[in-house]
Amino acid sequence: MTKYSIEEFLKQTEQEEKGEGLFELETPRLLEVNLEKQVWAKSGSMVAYEGQIKFEREGLLEHGLGKTFKKAFTGEGASLMKATGQGKLYLADTGKKVIILHLQNDVIFVNGNDLLAFEPSVKWDIKLMKRVAGMMAGGLFNIRCEGTGMIAITTHYEPLTIRVTPGEPVITDPNATVAWSGSLQPTIQTDITLKTFLGRGSGESIQMKFEGEGFVVVQPYEEVWMNSNS
């Protein structure tokens, strides 16, 4: 069998049974969901599936009127789809790295564009941060995930987790910030010096400041936020 034969290609890329449970990484950039009942996933993230699975867009009032108003207000692109049934579901998001987290009565905030999938047992809510004119299209929002269950988040390239300790605040670029622990409440600040250096229109003059005790996850990439209504 030659190095580049079809047989060798199949050997290197064929789906494997890892037996890791509901969520498992088929590859670093592809999430396999061993679906038995239901899961929520980012709309448009399905790349393949096996079995009897039905897909539905998130109902207008499915998660309550408050969340519907927030989504309309933010114009955010993190609309959800509900996958119901039994089978194997493969999810991905523009080739981004997939990270699986098993929440155990935990709280974590995730950038609204970086939440790929989660179990129905995980409670979630959209949180709006202070809107700053010219910061980014659609504003800045995140999703609060709470409870016990599996969630999958995505990052561009390898993520870095920075510990936040009392008296040692961590400052991040909003476009590179992926997630942070539920114990932290970031504030928005403007770096006047940086703004002068980069020009008035630069988003990098806007920063997120994390104080207290917890962690923040960043990626080596500045995400371009798009307004889903545009």
Side-chain angles (χ1 to χ4, degrees):
M1 185 165 59
T2 67
K3 180 179 178 181
Y4 298 112
S5 66
I6 290 178
E7 289 81 4
E8 182 64 20
F9 173 75
L10 290 174
K11 180 182 175 182
Q12 294 294 328
T13 63
E14 194 168 13
Q15 183 265 334
E16 296 180 17
E17 291 298 332
K18 296 184 174 70
E20 296 175 356
L22 176 65
F23 286 3
E24 60 184 63
L25 290 179
E26 188 57 40
T27 75
R29 301 174 189 278
L30 198 64
L31 177 70
E32 178 184 307
V33 182
N34 295 297
L35 191 63
E36 293 183 352
K37 292 182 180 179
Q38 181 183 312
V39 72
W40 285 99
K42 186 175 182 177
S43 291
S45 63
M46 186 275 287
V47 295
Y49 70 91
E50 303 173 24
Q52 300 297 317
I53 301 177
K54 181 182 178 183
F55 299 93
E56 298 175 87
R57 286 287 300 238
E58 176 187 10
L60 182 62
L61 301 178
E62 185 145 7
H63 290 109
L65 195 58
K67 290 181 184 176
T68 300
F69 283 150
K70 287 179 188 176
K71 292 183 72 168
F73 178 66
T74 57
E76 50 94 352
S79 57
L80 299 171
M81 65 180 182
K82 179 168 60 176
T84 308
Q86 291 186 323
K88 291 187 181 298
L89 173 61
Y90 300 96
L91 303 174
D93 185 7
T94 62
K96 293 164 67 176
K97 184 178 177 68
V98 180
I99 298 160
I100 298 172
L101 299 174
H102 187 188
L103 302 188
Q104 296 176 303
N105 198 28
D106 297 311
V107 178
I108 188 170
F109 289 89
V110 182
N111 175 315
N113 200 39
D114 296 326
L115 184 61
L116 180 63
F118 57 93
E119 283 191 80
S121 60
V122 174
K123 298 177 183 178
W124 67 280
D125 193 14
I126 295 172
K127 298 293 182 180
L128 299 175
M129 295 198 68
K130 183 179 178 182
R131 291 176 64 89
V132 180
M135 183 168 62
M136 56 192 67
L140 183 64
F141 71 99
N142 53 76
I143 298 176
R144 184 181 190 270
C145 298
E146 178 182 12
T148 297
M150 306 284 276
I151 72 171
I153 66 176
T154 58
T155 66
H156 287 278
Y157 311 107
E158 303 300 322
L160 173 68
T161 299
I162 305 172
R163 291 277 185 182
V164 182
T165 56
E168 297 289 339
V170 174
I171 313 299
T172 66
D173 180 340
N175 296 299
T177 306
V178 175
W180 58 93
S181 53
S183 58
L184 299 177
Q185 295 291 332
T187 56
I188 295 292
Q189 69 176 27
T190 302
D191 189 318
I192 301 300
T193 306
L194 196 59
K195 189 170 186 177
T196 303
F197 177 70
L198 293 167
R200 286 191 63 181
S202 174
E204 288 185 30
S205 62
I206 304 297
Q207 302 167 341
M208 295 174 74
K209 184 177 183 180
F210 295 87
E211 294 182 282
E213 189 160 4
F215 64 86
V216 57
V217 182
V218 294
Q219 61 186 2
Y221 182 95
E222 293 186 14
E223 195 129 23
V224 178
W225 289 63
M226 297 298 294
N227 189 318
S228 62
N229 293 328
S230 61

